[in-house]
Amino acid sequence: MLQKFKAAIVLILLSAIMVSCTNSVEANSPIKTEQGSSVGETSNEIDPSEPVISEEEKAKLELEKKIKEREDLEKKHKEEQGEFYVPLVKIGEEREKKSTEVKALYATGYTAGNELNKERIDAYGAYVKALADKDTKKVNELSKEADKANKFERIVGIAVATEINGLVINVKDDNGFITYDSQVDIVKEMNQETPIPIKDIKNMLKVLKEYDVYTIGRIVAFKDKHLAVAKPEHAIQLKSGGTWLDPNSGNIPWINPFDKYVWDYNISIAKEAALLGFDEIQFDYVRFPDGAKKYNPITEFPGRDGRDKDEAIRDFLKYSREELEPYNVNIGADVFGLITRTWDDYPEDIGQTWILMGEYADIICPMVYPSHYSTGWYNLEDPNSNPYEVIKGAMEEALEKNSSMEKPPVIRSWIQDFDWAGKEYGPKEVRSQIIAAKELGLTEYMVWNPSNVYDPNSYILSDVEKNSIYPLDKGENDYRDKSPVDAADKYLNGKLNGRYSYMYLTTPIADRDKDFDKFKEIEEKSNIKLLKYKVYGYEIDSKDENIATVDLYIKYEKASGDVSEVVEKDNVEWTAIKEKGIWKIKSNFN
């Protein structure tokens, strides 16, 4: 009986222990939700129902996703762009914008349509190198093989052997004709009966890339008689009816730079050129016709909507930048040489204002051909006979314009390599233009020769040039060869005579409104009227050569409500700062 009782006690104790252990385990176990999942579960066990995906498979799935998204985007673009549709760069073939100090020669579509034989290119390149080395014996030995090279092969050979590293090639020429076999619907329609000089543009670009040549596709934008004749509703219109014809260009029509259809046409060509592999798109004739005083009263521009001409050109470049952004291509814009000096599209009224165009173009290309300047420019009797002086004067002006901008464009000038009015342009004249810009720190240039025949000696540095340091040291003067006194004089002259562009250019960027029209409006409403001034001299800061103190005398009328007083101050000290290489004045009339 006792044994049975003891056994019962043991069983009761064992049961109590087991219940206690079970409760302890359950207390430390995750709580199950109604769906059976555990709250606070930390297990890393893989659900056997889900397959394991490798990194390679993940990348493949991601690519497939991108391709599907791209297909959907292309379908949307095709619907939106219609006849102007150009596909985007293929996934995996994207590129960065190319950054190069460009020195380029110009080639028409017919020149670029010549065969490119690498053996002949190399032979001509070796010949040019011998010329550069002044190895007469080798020059004579190589001349026979070099003579076999065609015009285009010689251009590439010059790029192989000299500082030339770029080519400007017509994509849409001065008549509006396309130089290659386009696949854009509207462009194909427009050029189905026109000659196509570049038969294999892909191979041409491939060979140029193999020689590391920077390629620029030139598109003549608004001087396009081909489109204007085919679609006269998009041309500049006569108020009396019909299409206006330009007497300065052989009585041809121009397309309307205010017309978005015209914008889309040009940009579709630019997109395709970028897609083919051009590093840069250069818009030439990105302007209105000259002679505006005669045609303004008799013409009209559908789509103008109250805008000035330079606003239309600015808006076109802005739109071009937005549309071409996915193609990662640089954008250049050619401008008249006189645009380095003129202001706010005055007096020509062709739509070209430096500071407006420069905001949306990566490169501004002033056509500073000495033959295009008349007597008196840069104090020269015959500018055509003084190429160095013309380029020097124009580039100084261009640098001053650039210094007024927060993000200025690259300045890459077009220089002259063609004879004019009895003046022959050879290597000496071409090189003098290059050196004039180089002395100011501007190393990029493009050479215009309409026949596309270039003398390689023009691109070979002389011993003097090799041993010189560029840019030249201007001492205390700026790139305009002006001192702080000159800057103060220009600012005060502008204030005295209402020449607001003078004031804008000589005021530090941070001290004025970016918009010139607003800056002008503020100055016109100013309560300070300058009556008289004199600038005595200046002193450079001992700790910073880019800061100076200018000593001057000013007399001005200061208005306060209906009351005004004349203030006269002598030995006033203003601060001058050198900004982007140009002296500016921090004015203070208080």
Side-chain angles (χ1 to χ4, degrees):
M1 184 70 176
L2 183 61
Q3 287 180 339
K4 288 182 179 180
F5 179 76
K6 288 181 179 179
I9 294 297
V10 170
L11 284 172
I12 291 170
L13 289 172
L14 284 172
S15 298
I17 292 170
M18 288 178 70
V19 169
S20 175
C21 288
T22 300
N23 289 339
S24 176
V25 170
E26 288 177 353
N28 291 304
S29 298
I31 301 170
K32 299 292 183 180
T33 64
E34 290 181 4
Q35 291 78 19
S37 61
S38 301
V39 178
E41 188 173 329
T42 58
S43 174
N44 291 322
E45 291 183 9
I46 298 171
D47 186 343
S49 64
E50 295 182 6
V52 178
I53 301 177
S54 68
E55 290 301 318
E56 185 179 345
E57 288 172 319
K58 284 181 182 177
K60 184 181 177 182
L61 288 171
E62 185 63 29
L63 179 60
E64 287 173 354
K65 181 184 176 184
K66 286 182 178 179
I67 290 172
K68 179 63 173 64
E69 289 174 348
R70 173 58 62 83
E71 287 173 352
D72 293 341
L73 183 60
E74 292 286 15
K75 185 179 179 181
K76 180 184 176 185
H77 281 178
K78 199 162 189 176
E79 291 173 355
E80 292 174 347
Q81 296 171 14
E83 60 186 346
F84 301 114
Y85 169 71
V86 179
L88 295 168
V89 179
K90 290 182 180 178
I91 291 173
E93 295 182 11
E94 299 88 350
R95 59 176 178 172
E96 296 294 325
K97 275 189 178 183
K98 198 168 182 180
S99 179
T100 305
E101 285 190 1
V102 177
K103 302 167 178 66
L105 304 180
Y106 163 68
T108 66
Y110 286 94
T111 294
N114 279 308
E115 180 187 1
L116 283 179
N117 180 292
K118 295 177 77 172
E119 288 184 5
R120 292 198 295 264
I121 291 171
D122 294 339
Y124 194 78
Y127 166 77
V128 174
K129 285 180 181 177
L131 283 176
D133 294 337
K134 299 177 183 178
D135 189 336
T136 306
K137 182 180 178 182
K138 198 168 186 179
V139 167
N140 293 331
E141 290 174 355
L142 296 171
S143 60
K144 186 176 179 180
E145 286 301 310
D147 287 342
K148 295 178 182 178
N150 64 40
K151 191 187 292 187
F152 196 33
E153 290 164 343
R154 293 183 185 208
I155 290 174
V156 181
I158 290 173
V160 168
T162 70
E163 67 181 14
I164 295 297
N165 62 358
L167 287 181
V168 182
I169 299 169
N170 276 359
V171 167
K172 178 158 83 87
D173 69 17
D174 297 55
N175 292 307
F177 297 144
I178 302 301
T179 62
Y180 65 98
D181 187 15
S182 174
Q183 299 305 304
V184 182
D185 288 348
I186 181 62
V187 184
K188 285 176 71 175
E189 175 196 326
M190 287 295 303
N191 291 272
Q192 56 188 336
E193 296 180 4
T194 62
I196 303 296
I198 305 176
K199 303 302 180 186
D200 191 347
I201 194 166
K202 289 183 178 179
N203 182 65
M204 180 201 77
L205 289 167
K206 176 177 176 290
V207 173
L208 294 179
K209 295 301 178 190
E210 288 172 0
Y211 284 103
D212 198 24
V213 174
Y214 182 90
T215 51
I216 304 169
R218 175 178 178 256
I219 296 175
V220 176
F222 302 124
K223 184 187 175 186
D224 186 339
K225 72 175 184 181
H226 185 49
L227 182 61
V229 169
K231 297 181 181 291
E233 67 273 22
H234 298 294
I236 297 173
Q237 305 293 306
L238 285 167
K239 288 180 178 177
S240 59
T243 302
W244 173 80
L245 302 178
D246 180 15
N248 296 322
S249 302
N251 289 318
I252 65 168
W254 283 56
I255 49 178
N256 175 12
F258 283 103
D259 189 337
K260 188 174 179 296
Y261 183 94
V262 164
W263 292 8
D264 286 328
Y265 179 70
N266 280 298
I267 291 169
S268 70
I269 297 167
K271 287 178 179 178
E272 187 172 44
L275 199 61
L276 286 166
F278 280 94
D279 298 305
E280 179 179 321
I281 300 301
Q282 181 186 98
F283 292 112
D284 198 0
Y285 286 89
V286 57
R287 63 176 177 85
F288 290 74
D290 49 334
K293 287 182 180 179
K294 290 186 177 180
Y295 71 73
N296 275 345
I298 61 171
T299 57
E300 60 184 1
F301 302 88
R304 183 165 192 163
D305 299 330
R307 288 176 291 172
D308 290 335
K309 290 180 184 177
D310 58 354
E311 291 177 312
I313 300 302
R314 176 203 62 194
D315 293 347
F316 168 71
L317 290 173
K318 181 182 179 182
Y319 183 62
S320 298
R321 172 171 280 187
E322 292 167 353
E323 290 294 304
L324 289 167
E325 185 177 0
Y327 298 87
N328 281 332
V329 66
N330 293 311
I331 298 175
D334 293 344
V335 297
F336 269 5
L338 60 83
I339 302 303
T340 64
R341 176 177 294 186
T342 59
W343 190 262
D344 204 23
D345 200 23
Y346 178 85
E348 293 298 312
D349 196 24
I350 58 171
Q352 291 189 335
T353 297
W354 187 286
I355 61 173
L356 293 185
M357 295 179 71
E359 188 171 358
Y360 298 106
D362 299 300
I363 308 103
I364 284 196
C365 313
M367 299 176 286
V368 286
Y369 311 127
S371 61
H372 284 36
Y373 292 84
S374 56
T375 299
W377 276 86
Y378 307 116
N379 300 314
L380 298 169
E381 181 68 25
D382 180 16
N384 188 40
S385 297
N386 295 274
Y388 171 87
E389 288 79 7
V390 170
I391 303 304
K392 179 178 182 292
M395 292 302 96
E396 287 178 349
E397 292 168 346
L399 282 165
E400 184 177 44
K401 288 279 177 62
N402 257 19
S403 77
S404 70
M405 302 177 66
E406 291 178 17
K407 296 179 180 179
V410 170
I411 300 170
R412 188 199 303 144
S413 58
W414 276 105
I415 63 174
Q416 181 171 337
D417 183 16
F418 54 87
D419 302 340
W420 191 265
K423 171 65 177 177
E424 293 185 3
Y425 269 67
K428 178 183 175 184
E429 288 73 19
V430 171
R431 198 74 212 161
S432 68
Q433 296 172 80
I434 294 169
I435 291 171
K438 197 173 175 179
E439 288 177 351
L440 295 167
L442 300 174
T443 58
E444 298 197 29
Y445 63 85
M446 296 174 295
V447 186
W448 183 270
N449 182 305
S451 68
N452 300 170
V453 177
Y454 298 95
D455 188 332
N457 290 293
S458 300
Y459 317 107
I460 297 172
L461 279 67
S462 67
D463 291 337
V464 172
E465 203 175 340
K466 288 177 184 176
N467 295 321
S468 299
I469 298 174
Y470 299 98
L472 295 185
D473 185 0
K474 294 279 188 176
E476 294 179 352
N477 286 356
D478 62 15
Y479 281 136
R480 282 229 63 183
D481 219 9
K482 305 293 186 183
S483 69
V485 163
D486 297 318
D489 181 70
K490 185 168 185 173
Y491 175 88
L492 290 163
N493 180 280
K495 182 77 172 175
L496 183 67
N497 297 298
R499 304 191 73 166
Y500 303 111
S501 61
Y502 283 15
M503 299 177 67
Y504 186 91
L505 288 171
T506 50
T507 300
I509 292 170
D511 293 354
R512 57 161 168 76
D513 199 287
K514 174 185 172 182
D515 186 289
F516 173 70
D517 291 335
K518 290 181 180 177
F519 171 81
K520 180 181 176 182
E521 184 181 346
I522 291 168
E523 284 301 323
E524 286 175 333
K525 293 179 179 179
S526 171
N527 67 337
I528 301 293
K529 181 182 179 182
L530 186 62
L531 303 173
K532 194 176 180 181
Y533 75 89
K534 185 175 182 179
V535 186
Y536 297 126
Y538 71 93
E539 184 176 345
I540 299 293
D541 190 294
S542 60
K543 295 180 180 178
D544 190 339
E545 61 183 13
N546 293 313
I547 298 175
T549 301
V550 182
D551 184 21
L552 49 88
Y553 156 82
I554 49 175
K555 182 179 181 181
Y556 58 92
E557 184 178 346
K558 184 176 182 180
S560 179
D562 295 331
V563 180
S564 63
E565 62 172 324
V566 174
V567 179
E568 192 170 12
K569 294 181 179 180
D570 202 7
N571 296 119
V572 176
E573 291 186 347
W574 282 2
T575 299
I577 65 168
K578 193 183 282 186
E579 186 174 61
K580 293 185 170 70
I582 299 294
W583 283 112
K584 310 285 183 70
I585 298 299
K586 295 179 76 66
S587 62
N588 184 4
F589 286 94
N590 296 320

